[in-house]
Amino acid sequence: MKSHALTPRKALLLESLIIIGLALVPLFVTFPYRVNIFLSWEGAYRLSEGQAPYKDFGLPLGYGYWLMPALFFKLFGPQLISLVKAQVLLNIIGGFSFRGILRNLDVAPGIRVLSVLLFVISYSFFNFWPWYNNTVIIYQLAGLAFLLCALKPGARWKWPALFAAALFTFLSFFTKQDGGGLALLLALALLGYHSLVEKRWQELAAFAGFYALVACAFILPFVPHGFGYWFNHGQPPHSSRLSVKDIINEFLYNSQWLKFYFVAVLAVTIPALRDWKRLWQDKQKMLFLLLTLGILVEATLFQVTSYTPPDNNIFFHSFAFAYIFAGLAPVLSLQTEQWRTFLLSALLVLFWWSGAYYRYAGRIVDRLFPGNDQGEAIRTGPTGENVVGRNNYQFTADTMDVPVSQWVFSSLPEFRKIYMPASTKEGIDRIMAMPEAKKGRDAKVLNLTELTPLDHAIGYQLETGSNIPLWHHLGVGMFNRQLHGYIEKIRNKHYDLVLYEDMPRHNNFFPWAIQDELRKHYRQVDSFLAPRRPTTSATIKVFVK
């Protein structure tokens, strides 16, 4: 019968194929220009060039997020596609970390493989690009995997595992304060329960000590260079994103899946609660329960404090699924280690999350059943009458928008495998042909656009200093002090060339006051569409003295 069973060895093979196989897919495709990817490129480029955070440039976060992209810039060069390669490794780390969490909780192999499949297709598969709201969770998962390994009875590598748990949990915090802070609270909750049930505090104390040690190593070298000003812990000029009202409204108005999982987890746990003392002493079950509830609470808060992109908190699905399925399997007599049951369950998971991969398979369907694209205006039908249908009942984008199918590639190596609107590509070519750009390293350029790879393409020397922000979103990445510094330089005509992206629909994404000053003291010589959707939502303007 063993040949008909999903053994632990076969489960590991399947998990590895799922995690690594789907993570490698982005290496074989091309991509449209990614919104907001400019700050990922800029931070990775500056670190790879040897610049020091807070000393050479300021940022309101820790620099943990940019460590992996900077490494890949060193290995493969400062190209946008290098960021995709970095995310491939991060997705593999996230997948195996999630697997390690379930393995350390003694989840049955069949349920574990199904949960890994769900994790990959629901969370990591479509995350082709690195983003700090994703990296913060990946580092947290790695920390949790090491932590649960250390808390297993008879753990051989307890203390090294605790150190690794503290390291990755701090990296999570030093990637994004909100998600990393919640990661720390969840880790402390699990350690607190362990200490109470085991009546032993050494693991909790060791974790706290390791965490403090790692924090000192990452922070103390930068304290003299304005770390206290730049790193957002709620002090002026920063502002807090934590709003109790927003959390309550978002949870009660929306969050249907979160509320469903809270109810389902409670329902599955009710039989065990009848003998709560026994449940309390069952360490693996309690850790699993606390972890699942903690992840659901974290996702509830994270969706409010980190609201871009809107689905960055869906890592909770796989945790809730694993807990609920593990609780229901014995009740329903499901033998998930039997191939027939396992394959049927896997098909149901794939059917449930078909949206994650149908966007690619859907291209074949579009060819078989041609129709009108979303937003395409259908003026008249065969009889000459106006035709109204699902795809043209209401236009969601500007009718002048350029569809992605008409985007093109740039010849610059920094943009290899990345396509963009033809207007953007042609505008880049015109910039590269300008006398100001041909100065190379001697050019004085201010690049306030999403085309940060032009830093390397032009080859000018980046401005450095503790008053130079990594990105220019007023009130988020820079503040009035930096704004006044730029305005003074513009009035003195310090720059040879200024690139400014006008985004009227976004609140000072690039400060509007700078454009006002440019109109007074510089001359606009060109403009073209920014690489966004809809393409009419932002324009890049070129100014010279």
Side-chain angles (χ1 to χ4, degrees):
M1 294 296 292
K2 284 188 177 181
S3 61
H4 301 290
L6 182 63
T7 63
R9 186 174 180 179
K10 293 176 182 177
L12 173 60
L13 178 61
L14 276 177
E15 290 162 337
S16 300
L17 288 173
I18 292 169
I19 294 169
I20 298 175
L22 292 181
L24 294 177
V25 169
L27 298 180
F28 305 99
V29 296
T30 57
F31 303 90
Y33 207 98
R34 172 73 171 182
V35 172
N36 294 335
I37 201 62
F38 68 96
L39 68 89
S40 301
W41 190 95
E42 182 81 2
Y45 180 56
R46 286 180 177 270
L47 284 181
S48 68
E49 290 291 294
Q51 294 187 19
Y54 317 109
K55 178 183 178 182
D56 295 319
F57 61 92
L59 65 163
L61 313 170
Y63 54 88
Y65 164 61
W66 285 275
L67 293 176
M68 190 71 75
L71 172 63
F72 274 71
F73 271 28
K74 278 291 188 182
L75 295 174
F76 301 104
Q79 302 176 354
L80 283 171
I81 199 65
S82 297
L83 297 175
V84 175
K85 295 175 182 177
Q87 186 61 29
V88 167
L89 179 57
L90 286 169
N91 282 341
I92 291 173
I93 292 173
F96 279 105
S97 296
F98 178 72
R99 175 196 176 272
I101 290 170
L102 298 188
R103 183 175 181 275
N104 289 324
L105 290 171
D106 296 331
V107 175
I111 297 174
R112 195 180 70 218
V113 177
L114 292 171
S115 302
V116 167
L117 174 64
L118 176 59
F119 176 83
V120 171
I121 64 173
S122 70
Y123 186 63
S124 66
F125 178 57
F126 58 85
N127 275 310
F128 294 157
W129 295 96
W131 188 241
Y132 45 62
N133 288 335
N134 171 261
T135 304
V136 63
I137 302 302
I138 290 176
Y139 284 153
Q140 177 188 8
L141 297 181
L144 287 171
F146 281 113
L147 178 62
L148 292 171
C149 176
L151 297 185
K152 286 196 73 172
R156 295 178 56 188
W157 301 94
K158 177 189 295 185
W159 306 114
L162 276 174
F163 176 80
L167 172 63
F168 279 103
T169 305
F170 175 79
L171 281 176
S172 178
F173 175 73
F174 220 48
T175 294
K176 194 90 186 316
Q177 289 92 319
D178 54 353
L182 293 168
L184 175 60
L185 292 177
L186 179 54
L188 291 176
L190 297 177
L191 281 161
Y193 163 75
H194 168 81
S195 299
L196 289 173
V197 77
E198 297 288 347
K199 298 181 174 58
R200 188 175 67 248
W201 300 89
Q202 290 91 330
E203 291 82 2
L204 176 58
F207 177 86
F210 288 144
Y211 191 94
L213 180 66
V214 172
C216 289
F218 275 84
I219 294 174
L220 289 181
F222 302 99
V223 169
H225 303 295
F227 175 83
Y229 169 84
W230 277 109
F231 188 79
N232 182 4
H233 51 278
Q235 83 285 14
H238 302 269
S239 57
S240 173
R241 293 185 180 181
L242 187 61
S243 168
V244 175
K245 176 185 175 182
D246 289 346
I247 292 170
I248 294 173
N249 287 346
E250 182 64 27
F251 184 70
L252 295 181
Y253 278 130
N254 303 305
S255 309
Q256 301 304 322
W257 276 113
L258 282 167
K259 288 181 285 191
F260 168 77
Y261 285 137
F262 273 117
V263 172
V265 168
L266 177 62
V268 169
T269 311
I270 283 177
L273 290 175
R274 294 171 182 168
D275 189 355
W276 65 269
K277 291 183 178 180
R278 182 179 178 182
L279 174 63
W280 178 263
Q281 293 298 325
D282 191 332
K283 188 176 173 182
Q284 295 297 82
K285 285 186 178 180
M286 271 301 298
L287 285 173
F288 201 2
L289 174 61
L290 290 173
L291 174 66
T292 305
L293 291 176
I295 289 292
L296 292 176
V297 171
E298 178 179 342
T300 301
L301 302 176
F302 196 62
Q303 67 184 347
V304 174
T305 59
S306 294
Y307 42 79
T308 56
D311 59 352
N312 62 23
N313 72 328
I314 59 173
F315 52 87
F316 63 85
H317 285 284
S318 44
F319 284 93
F321 172 83
Y323 182 85
I324 294 167
F325 207 163
L328 289 178
V331 177
L332 301 177
S333 300
L334 292 175
Q335 300 294 326
T336 54
E337 281 65 50
Q338 295 298 316
W339 281 109
R340 184 177 299 178
T341 304
F342 171 78
L343 291 174
L344 177 61
S345 301
L347 287 174
L348 291 176
V349 169
L350 290 171
F351 175 72
W352 176 25
W353 279 90
S354 60
Y357 54 86
Y358 182 72
R359 67 184 72 181
Y360 309 105
R363 297 174 185 175
I364 301 174
V365 177
D366 290 340
R367 294 190 185 98
L368 294 175
F369 306 100
N372 292 283
D373 294 335
Q374 176 69 26
E376 182 182 341
I378 306 175
R379 298 302 179 187
T380 57
T383 61
E385 297 289 344
N386 181 60
V387 176
V388 178
R390 181 176 183 272
N391 292 329
N392 76 331
Y393 172 75
Q394 182 179 12
F395 298 124
T396 58
D398 194 313
T399 54
M400 298 298 292
D401 186 27
V402 180
V404 172
S405 59
Q406 298 178 20
W407 287 16
V408 298
F409 293 95
S410 169
S411 60
L412 294 178
E414 290 80 6
F415 300 100
R416 188 174 68 88
K417 298 184 72 173
I418 309 299
Y419 48 96
M420 61 189 73
S423 175
T424 308
K425 184 261 183 188
E426 293 163 2
I428 290 173
D429 292 341
R430 291 194 297 270
I431 290 173
M432 296 302 297
M434 293 177 66
E436 291 82 1
K438 290 184 176 180
K439 291 182 179 180
R441 190 166 181 83
D442 295 329
K444 293 182 179 179
V445 180
L446 177 60
N447 187 356
L448 301 180
T449 74
E450 294 178 89
L451 298 175
T452 48
L454 287 177
D455 299 350
H456 183 262
I458 296 174
Y460 62 90
Q461 188 171 1
L462 292 174
E463 286 189 284
T464 59
S466 61
N467 206 41
I468 299 298
L470 179 62
W471 76 96
H472 304 91
H473 193 174
L474 190 62
V476 178
M478 65 175 283
F479 307 95
N480 288 338
R481 190 205 310 186
Q482 291 75 43
L483 175 62
H484 295 152
Y486 281 125
I487 288 176
E488 187 66 25
K489 291 179 181 178
I490 290 170
R491 288 174 178 173
N492 294 330
K493 296 188 176 180
H494 172 77
Y495 301 105
D496 301 316
L497 174 67
V498 179
L499 309 177
Y500 178 86
E501 187 166 338
D502 185 13
M503 303 176 66
R505 302 181 187 180
H506 292 72
N507 182 3
N508 279 286
F509 200 84
F510 296 101
W512 296 325
I514 289 181
Q515 181 174 213
D516 295 338
E517 293 296 325
L518 287 169
R519 287 169 174 164
K520 296 176 184 177
H521 303 285
Y522 278 68
R523 179 168 56 95
Q524 181 179 333
V525 296
D526 197 1
S527 66
F528 52 89
L529 296 178
R532 280 187 159 250
R533 295 192 68 193
T535 51
T536 54
S537 65
T539 305
I540 294 175
K541 300 177 179 180
V542 183
F543 294 87
V544 297
K545 291 181 183 178

